[in-house]
Amino acid sequence: MLIGPDGRLIRSCAQASKADLSGAASRTCSSCVRAVDGKVVCSQCERALCGQCVRTCWGCGTVACALCGLVDCSDVCEKVLCNSCAMFEA
């Protein structure tokens, strides 16, 4: 059994050869491994992000992923900071 590009199981080799495998290498989000629905990438590491994992830096407005963004919870509302802005806040 193989997993097809749409996530469904394919039972025979004949069906697998007929299936369109061009979507099998689709890009996934670096934070949650969902399919990427746009072309948003982290400004720090250039990894692909889905719409739900996009974090915008409070200081400069760049896009940061969950790995590169620092969440500052010291104030009343939490702020996301990219690595560059986090250096100046420390």
Side-chain angles (χ1 to χ4, degrees), residues 60-90:
C60 64
T62 60
V63 174
C65 68
L67 299 173
C68 296
L70 174 73
V71 179
D72 181 12
C73 299
S74 63
D75 203 2
V76 174
C77 61
E78 60 183 34
K79 300 185 290 188
V80 177
L81 298 169
C82 67
N83 289 333
S84 301
C85 292
M87 287 189 328
F88 297 113
E89 291 287 324

Side-chain angles (χ1 to χ4, degrees), residues 11-60:
R11 294 184 185 226
S12 70
C13 294
Q15 288 176 341
S17 64
K18 292 179 184 177
D20 181 22
L21 298 177
S22 62
S26 64
R27 293 176 56 173
T28 58
C29 177
S30 64
S31 296
C32 68
V33 195
R34 288 187 190 105
V36 175
D37 50 0
K39 295 183 179 182
V40 179
V41 294
C42 175
S43 63
Q44 306 290 309
C45 66
E46 297 182 0
R47 292 181 181 153
L49 297 171
C50 71
Q52 295 179 354
C53 293
V54 171
R55 297 180 177 186
T56 305
C57 176
W58 183 80
C60 64

